[in-house]
Amino acid sequence: MTENAQSPDVDQFVRFYEDAIEGIEPNSLEPSTKYHEMAQWDSLALLCLIAMIDCEYEVQIAGADLRACDTLQDVYDLVSAKKAS
């Protein structure tokens, strides 16, 4: 799938991320965003991301799982895989 033709689900995941992390403007991120390179990324943002995933998707993700992810798309794919299993 090309970057311009993202599924609505990954776009919704990105919107949830924008809402969960303080200081991020709405509609400012893309699935290809390297979330851990953002100025807002810190230990509190990590906890907020884990909590958002648990709340919105009912999936538990460990910090170690997230360290293997580079982009928001990678995190979404991880969540989708865990949800499907």
Side-chain angles (χ1 to χ4, degrees), residues 6-7 9-21 24-25 27-38 41 45 48-50 52-53 57 66 68-80:
Q6 297 296 331
S7 72
D9 293 330
V10 73
D11 290 334
Q12 184 62 51
F13 180 84
V14 172
R15 301 296 80 85
F16 284 146
Y17 179 82
E18 291 171 341
D19 289 342
I21 309 301
I24 297 178
E25 294 294 321
N27 299 311
S28 64
L29 304 179
E30 298 292 330
S32 60
T33 300
K34 293 185 177 189
Y35 67 94
H36 52 81
E37 293 180 359
M38 299 177 64
W41 187 250
C48 289
L49 176 57
I50 291 171
M52 180 274 291
I53 291 168
Y57 296 93
L66 290 174
C69 298
D70 193 37
T71 65
L72 290 173
Q73 179 72 55
D74 296 338
V75 178
Y76 173 78
D77 292 343
L78 174 67
V79 170
S80 295

Side-chain angles (χ1 to χ4, degrees), residues 40-50:
Q40 296 88 347
W41 187 250
D42 58 14
S43 58
L44 181 58
L46 172 65
L47 293 174
C48 289
L49 176 57
I50 291 171

